[in-house]
């Protein structure tokens, strides 16, 4: 359990929130 | 057997015993996800954060989101009444939560919130302090330590300048703020242990 953030599903939420912005900028 | 999930990022500490562990977790995730998205939005507005590599942006957020939430939601901890407001809007006393099986983590978070609130920082100061909390070169998995360190130093200089300007007769405030960083790290470690216990159960 060395990576609690991944276990929480945090990484997924973070990546989606960051990527969403990238996609908006590309549009 | 009644179950509880004593985290203010949950809607309520009560857990429906009919629900599976997966369903309980899904509900909890649904409750804290908007707060996590707000942390990401906050990070994006830190000048220089978006210039870091995508890998380091994710690493900083993964490692620091809990600490940022502790700072941002310090107001949920009412030190005078010894109550905590959950995201569902209802207040619970420390004694009630203790009876539900809360750990020392909540008490430590109370202590932290009290000390932070007592500093009487403005919104701008809190915001800059939160940026310093998030941008730490000492997080694990950072690939470009120099870039993160440079941004961290810029933010710390800006915080010192702001605090010095706003509190010319209280030079200790800046030092006290920096000393909050290891406190937050310690809370983060305790929280990780709690997650482990939750997962095991």
């Amino acid at each position: 359990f060395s990576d609690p953030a991944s276990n929480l599903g945090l990484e997924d939420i973070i990546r989606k929130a960051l990527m969403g912005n990238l996609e908006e900028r590309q549009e | 057997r009644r179950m509880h999930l004593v985290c203010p990022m949950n809607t309520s500490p009560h857990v429906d015993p009919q629900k599976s562990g997966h369903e309980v977790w899904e509900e909890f995730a649904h409750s804290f996800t908007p707060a996590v998205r707000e942390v990401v939005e906050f990070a994006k507005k830190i000048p220089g954060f978006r210039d870091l590599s995508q890998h380091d942006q994710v690493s900083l957020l993964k490692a620091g989101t809990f600490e940022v939430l502790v700072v941002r939601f310090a107001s949920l901890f009412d030190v005078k009444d010894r109550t905590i407001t959950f995201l569902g809007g209802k207040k619970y006393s420390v004694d009630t939560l203790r009876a539900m099986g809360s750990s020392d983590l909540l008490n430590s978070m109370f202590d932290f919130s009290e000390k932070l609130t007592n500093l009487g920082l403005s919104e701008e100061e809190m915001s800059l302090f939160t940026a310093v909390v998030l941008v730490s070169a000492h997080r694990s998995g950072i690939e470009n330590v120099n870039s993160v360190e440079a941004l961290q130093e810029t933010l710390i200089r800006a915080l010192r300048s702001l605090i010095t300007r706003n509190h010319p007769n209280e030079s200790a405030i800046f030092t006290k703020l920096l000393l909050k960083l290891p406190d937050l790290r310690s809370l983060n470690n305790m929280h990780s242990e709690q997650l482990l216990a939750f997962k095991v159960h």
Side-chain angles (χ1 to χ4, degrees), chain B residues 18-32:
Chain B
Q18 304 297 322
K19 288 191 172 156
S20 69
H22 180 71
E23 286 173 318
V24 169
W25 190 253
E26 286 286 304
E27 267 191 15
F28 181 39
H30 187 71
S31 174
F32 69 66

Side-chain angles (χ1 to χ4, degrees), chain B residues 8-12 31 85-92:
Chain B
M9 290 294 101
N10 203 8
T11 316
S12 143
S31 174
T85 305
F86 276 54
L87 283 191
K90 198 172 170 196
K91 282 184 181 184
Y92 299 88

